[in-house]
Amino acid sequence: MYEFKEWKVIGSDKVSAIGLGTYGIKSYDKAFDAFIYALTHGINLVDTAEMYDGGRAEEFIGRVVKEVGRDSVFITTKMLPNRLDDKEKIIRAAEEALRRLGVPYVDLYLIHWPNESLPISVQVRNFEVLAEKGLTRYIGVSNFEPAMLREAIEATSKHKIVANQVHYSVFNRHYVEKELLPYCIEKIALQAYTPLERGNVVINNVIKKMAEKYSKTPIQVALNYLVSHMNVIAVPKTENIEHVKEILGSIGWWMSIDDLEYLRKHA
């Protein structure tokens, strides 16, 4: 269940165990410097979505990619599920996203959440058109529960589901670790969004004590806990260089299995 690696695998690509998210950015100018710092100091994965700030978050990632170079970044974006009933709608939406991003393709395209009005098999097979057209290298899903994820993985005709992005943190862990993660470990990568619970991990006494033991910060302990699990990639949001430096300090060291189990039971 545990692995102690600074790099993970999505599809056949090597990605940093921690990426950067873009939901809720308040100052894109400030965030620009933070992202450039991260992408030149060991992070290579960024996450965005068409619904984030009405597309402005994708435009922001486009600025970042233009600065650091396309080959330096593994780009994940997400499509709204109301597009999924028609392949032409899917293609048009992706082309608009790629225009905002300023790139010819993304590395990973996710269904943002399941379309409840369509069978999982239909939406996934429709979504495959993005890989067929070369608009993405990989496809995946987000917010899919185990039964939905299983159906999605079994439904693809040619292009495999390689990731599921879900809310996962040291606080919000019970369901994920019991129901979802065991299945993902066997099949795909799991991307953890809201891994810091909007900063609330810093006030947890158990996490604070563990941070003291390792001479780390609570944020570093909370992220380290997640990426110590097999196939898990944490995607915190930041727009501050000092926060990026703190995030970078979440890897390159590891808690003992006993301490990971203690956090699992008591945090």
Side-chain angles (χ1 to χ4, degrees):
M1 184 159 188
Y2 295 117
E3 65 176 357
F4 304 108
K5 298 179 180 179
E6 297 180 31
W7 297 89
K8 306 289 177 127
V9 174
I10 295 179
S12 59
D13 281 41
K14 185 178 176 182
V15 300
S16 50
I18 295 177
L20 292 184
T22 55
Y23 179 71
I25 289 178
K26 296 175 183 176
S27 170
Y28 288 107
D29 288 338
K30 186 178 178 182
F32 182 81
D33 293 334
F35 272 64
I36 298 303
Y37 184 91
L39 290 166
T40 54
H41 286 81
I43 288 176
N44 75 342
L45 183 149
V46 296
D47 175 81
T48 189
E50 65 170 290
M51 72 166 285
Y52 293 171
D53 201 10
R56 290 186 67 205
E58 287 182 326
E59 292 173 353
F60 164 72
I61 289 300
R63 287 176 54 205
V64 170
V65 171
K66 187 175 181 181
E67 180 71 17
V68 301
R70 178 66 185 90
D71 293 340
S72 300
V73 192
F74 186 99
I75 303 172
T76 301
T77 194
K78 298 180 282 293
M79 184 175 291
L80 290 168
N82 61 358
R83 321 281 196 198
L84 301 175
D85 60 344
D86 181 84
K87 290 184 179 181
E88 289 303 317
K89 284 167 61 175
I90 291 171
I91 292 170
R92 287 196 300 270
E95 288 175 341
E96 282 297 302
L98 294 175
R99 180 188 59 76
R100 290 189 292 270
L101 286 159
V103 297
Y105 66 91
V106 295
D107 298 288
L108 175 61
Y109 225 129
L110 306 179
I111 295 173
H112 206 149
W113 62 85
N115 184 327
E116 295 182 359
S117 65
L118 280 177
I120 295 294
S121 59
V122 172
Q123 51 192 293
V124 168
R125 285 173 190 153
N126 285 346
F127 199 61
E128 281 188 274
V129 72
L130 297 180
E132 293 168 7
K133 296 291 186 180
L135 304 179
T136 184
R137 297 173 58 235
Y138 303 113
I139 59 170
V141 296
S142 181
N143 299 303
F144 272 51
E145 297 177 355
M148 294 177 175
L149 178 61
R150 188 173 292 108
E151 186 176 354
I153 288 173
E154 293 173 354
T156 57
S157 60
K158 185 177 179 181
H159 299 278
K160 294 180 179 179
I161 300 291
V162 300
N164 185 18
Q165 186 178 117
V166 299
H167 181 191
Y168 178 31
S169 72
V170 68
F171 294 162
N172 189 63
R173 68 185 185 279
H174 300 289
Y175 169 77
V176 174
E177 291 178 355
K178 182 180 178 182
E179 303 292 340
L180 190 58
L181 187 55
Y183 183 73
C184 289
I185 284 173
E186 297 294 324
K187 300 285 186 180
I188 62 175
L190 187 147
Q191 292 184 333
Y193 69 76
T194 321
L196 300 175
E197 297 295 343
R198 294 177 173 82
N200 286 325
V201 296
V202 303
I203 61 176
N204 180 274
N205 287 330
V206 174
I207 295 175
K208 287 198 294 186
K209 288 180 180 177
M210 196 65 70
E212 291 173 5
K213 177 177 180 178
Y214 284 91
S215 298
K216 300 296 180 181
T217 69
I219 281 174
Q220 290 168 340
V221 165
L223 291 173
N224 189 272
Y225 172 84
L226 295 179
V227 301
S228 291
H229 289 75
M230 290 181 66
N231 295 1
V232 173
I233 300 156
V235 189
K237 186 272 290 187
T238 186
E239 51 192 286
N240 181 289
I241 286 181
E242 292 307 312
H243 191 209
V244 168
K245 292 177 181 178
E246 185 177 21
I247 287 169
L248 288 167
S250 303
I251 53 179
W253 61 280
W254 305 104
M255 288 179 279
S256 70
I257 291 178
D258 286 345
D259 286 337
L260 290 169
E261 288 295 325
Y262 185 84
L263 285 173
R264 181 193 307 283
K265 294 174 182 176
H266 300 287

